[in-house]
């Protein structure tokens, strides 16, 4: 992912029940990692132009960063680097970027409510201004869902920059799925919606 990029992220946990009968040994249960890999999106599931992207070498939000509202820096970190162990995609050097994780179910609703507007200052004194707004009319694609539009801005003059996009968390057939979709300066909301629908459809198809 490029600097200050936001991946779409989905977190999911699956419980698989296996039965046994007679003297037959129960079939080996797939590992959680194998199940998740089978459920996550691939580049072929996405709109044209997306390719698999490696994770950032270092997190965007450093340990030395300081948020104006305590506890909000993880939300910015999630927006800019995506969940840990996420599947990551990009469609150009400035995005859109997408991250989906089936391993990180970090609840975002309470955090987003507390962190509607905040700043984050890194160890070099550079400040990022962040806004988080709920998207109440996001199409219903899952049993329960939360969607937020996020924008992060920083720099001045010729060095000014903006990234914006969506952070979506879905509950599908017992799985918690988190998507991060953003770009510089932003992404098409209709594309975010189509990606969310594709993620839900893939989970349902493989359950």
């Amino acid at each position: 992912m490029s600097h200050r990029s936001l991946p779409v992220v989905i977190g999911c946990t699956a419980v698989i029940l296996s039965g046994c009968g007679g003297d037959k040994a129960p079939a080996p249960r797939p590992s959680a990692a194998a199940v998740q890999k089978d459920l996550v999106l691939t580049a072929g599931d996405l709109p044209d132009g997306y390719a698999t992207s490696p994770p950032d070498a270092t997190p965007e939000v450093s340990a030395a960063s300081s948020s104006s509202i305590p506890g909000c820096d993880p939300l910015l970190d999630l927006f800019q680097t995506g969940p840990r162990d996420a599947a990551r995609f990009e469609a150009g050097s400035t995005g859109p970027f997408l991250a989906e994780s089936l391993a990180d179910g970090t609840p975002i609703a309470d955090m987003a409510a507390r962190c509607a507007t905040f700043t984050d200052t890194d160890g070099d004194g550079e400040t990022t201004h962040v806004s988080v707004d709920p998207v109440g009319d996001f199409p219903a694609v899952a049993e329960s869902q939360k969607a937020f539009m996020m924008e992060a801005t920083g720099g001045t003059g010729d060095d000014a920059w903006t990234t914006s996009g969506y952070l979506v968390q879905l509950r599908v057939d017992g799985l918690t799925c988190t998507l991060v979709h953003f770009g510089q300066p932003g992404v098409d909301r209709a594309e975010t919606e189509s990606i969310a629908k594709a993620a839900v459809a893939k989970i349902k198809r493989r359950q």
Side-chain angles (χ1 to χ4, degrees):
M1 305 289 291
S2 66
H3 180 64
R4 302 195 184 280
S5 59
L6 167 64
V8 172
V9 171
I10 299 182
C12 301
T13 304
V15 178
I16 301 177
L17 302 180
S18 61
C20 58
D23 296 326
K24 292 183 179 180
R29 186 170 63 181
S31 67
V35 172
Q36 292 165 3
K37 184 177 181 180
D38 193 45
L39 297 177
V40 297
L41 295 168
T42 65
D45 300 313
L46 300 174
D48 292 343
Y50 281 85
T52 302
S53 172
D56 288 334
T58 57
E60 291 285 350
V61 180
S62 71
S65 66
S66 175
S67 174
S68 61
I69 301 178
C72 289
D73 46 332
L75 188 62
L76 177 59
D77 196 16
L78 178 63
F79 177 70
Q80 291 186 320
T81 65
R84 183 176 57 182
D85 300 326
R88 303 169 194 275
F89 309 91
E90 60 183 44
S93 61
T94 59
F97 302 101
L98 174 68
E100 176 191 24
S101 171
L102 301 181
D104 188 333
T106 303
I108 61 174
D110 291 344
M111 191 183 302
R114 291 190 297 103
C115 306
T117 304
F118 67 98
T119 60
D120 187 275
T121 304
D122 66 18
D124 296 324
E126 296 184 2
T127 298
T128 299
H129 301 266
V130 184
S131 64
V132 186
D133 297 300
V135 182
D137 60 347
F138 198 85
V141 298
E143 298 150 20
S144 63
Q145 60 189 49
K146 299 291 183 181
F148 301 90
M149 182 176 182
M150 291 188 63
E151 182 178 83
T153 61
T156 59
D158 293 340
D159 293 326
W161 56 268
T162 297
T163 60
S164 64
Y166 297 89
L167 180 57
V168 182
Q169 197 162 69
L170 311 165
R171 187 71 176 171
V172 186
D173 291 347
L175 304 179
T176 301
C177 303
T178 305
L179 292 168
V180 181
H181 189 221
F182 75 102
Q184 301 171 337
V187 295
D188 179 29
R189 172 172 162 171
E191 187 167 281
T192 303
E193 294 173 358
S194 71
I195 290 170
K197 292 175 182 176
V200 171
K202 188 159 190 177
I203 293 171
K204 287 183 174 292
R205 190 165 61 243
R206 300 299 180 92
Q207 289 292 73

